[in-house]
Amino acid sequence: MEQIAVSLFDKNVLDSHNQSQDILCPEEAFVAITLAAIASNGHISKEKSYHVSGILSRMKLFQSYTNDLLVDMFEKLLNLLRTEGIDTLFRAAQSSLPDKLKESAFAFATDMVLSDGDMTTEEQDFLSDLYHCLNINSDMANQIVKVILIKNQGQSFMDD
């Protein structure tokens, strides 16, 4: 299983004052936020990114994307992550993500981070930084986290 090592917890990673020269389309920005979220434990596997592309393909935002186009997008963003690092990937996503997709991106990222039913301190810090950088109201961010935790409790119940 190929994994990409990333250091997400550098204080500059989610610095909203930095600006990237890389411009992404809204869909790429959404996926880049997702990749940053699933890499919040310090690495990301290709297998996990392909699994996420399957989930994303069912979203209205990606209904016009074929599986091959989604895979190509993931490869492009994973390459950016490998070559330029998480700072560049996140700044590009942050500057390219439209306001109307920020809450949805945060919710999806939260779901990916909390999919195992646990929230580590690093993951909590990541989500806190993410909602601040995306300028999401703290009440809304807390509601999203609560709903995702409830959703994932239902998944763990089914696994028992």
Side-chain angles (χ1 to χ4, degrees):
M1 175 180 348
E2 181 182 342
Q3 296 187 357
I4 302 167
V6 294
S7 177
L8 288 176
F9 305 108
D10 177 352
K11 289 294 182 196
N12 294 324
V13 170
L14 300 181
D15 183 355
S16 62
H17 300 293
N18 291 332
Q19 295 298 316
S20 175
Q21 300 293 10
D22 297 309
I23 301 298
L24 303 175
C25 72
E27 294 85 356
E28 290 171 329
F30 192 98
V31 171
I33 296 288
T34 302
L35 289 175
I38 61 176
S40 64
N41 64 355
H43 67 275
I44 181 172
S45 68
K46 272 191 169 183
E47 289 79 7
K48 178 73 171 183
S49 67
Y50 292 141
H51 171 73
V52 171
S53 74
I55 296 169
L56 289 170
S57 70
R58 294 188 297 265
M59 293 179 67
K60 186 176 182 179
L61 179 64
F62 298 98
Q63 69 186 10
S64 66
Y65 281 70
T66 65
N67 189 50
D68 288 341
L69 285 174
L70 275 174
V71 168
D72 289 346
M73 181 190 306
F74 268 81
E75 288 297 325
K76 171 188 172 180
L77 295 171
L78 287 171
N79 187 51
L80 180 62
L81 178 62
R82 273 187 222 104
T83 60
E84 301 295 326
I86 193 71
D87 282 352
T88 300
L89 179 68
F90 184 81
R91 286 192 312 265
Q94 180 187 16
S95 64
S96 302
L97 190 67
D99 288 342
K100 67 182 182 178
L101 288 177
K102 288 182 179 182
E103 289 177 355
S104 181
F106 180 76
F108 197 82
T110 300
D111 195 20
M112 295 298 100
V113 167
L114 301 178
S115 64
D116 61 2
D118 296 320
M119 183 170 11
T120 66
T121 301
E122 292 84 6
E123 291 169 333
Q124 186 175 5
D125 291 344
F126 174 82
L127 292 175
S128 179
D129 288 346
L130 182 59
Y131 95 81
H132 280 103
C133 289
L134 295 179
N135 295 317
I136 296 173
N137 175 288
S138 63
D139 290 337
M140 176 58 74
N142 283 321
Q143 286 179 329
I144 289 169
V145 170
K146 285 178 185 177
V147 167
I148 297 300
L149 285 170
I150 291 167
K151 172 197 167 276
N152 289 337
Q153 284 175 352
Q155 286 178 338
S156 65
F157 175 76
M158 297 302 291
D159 294 337
D160 292 339

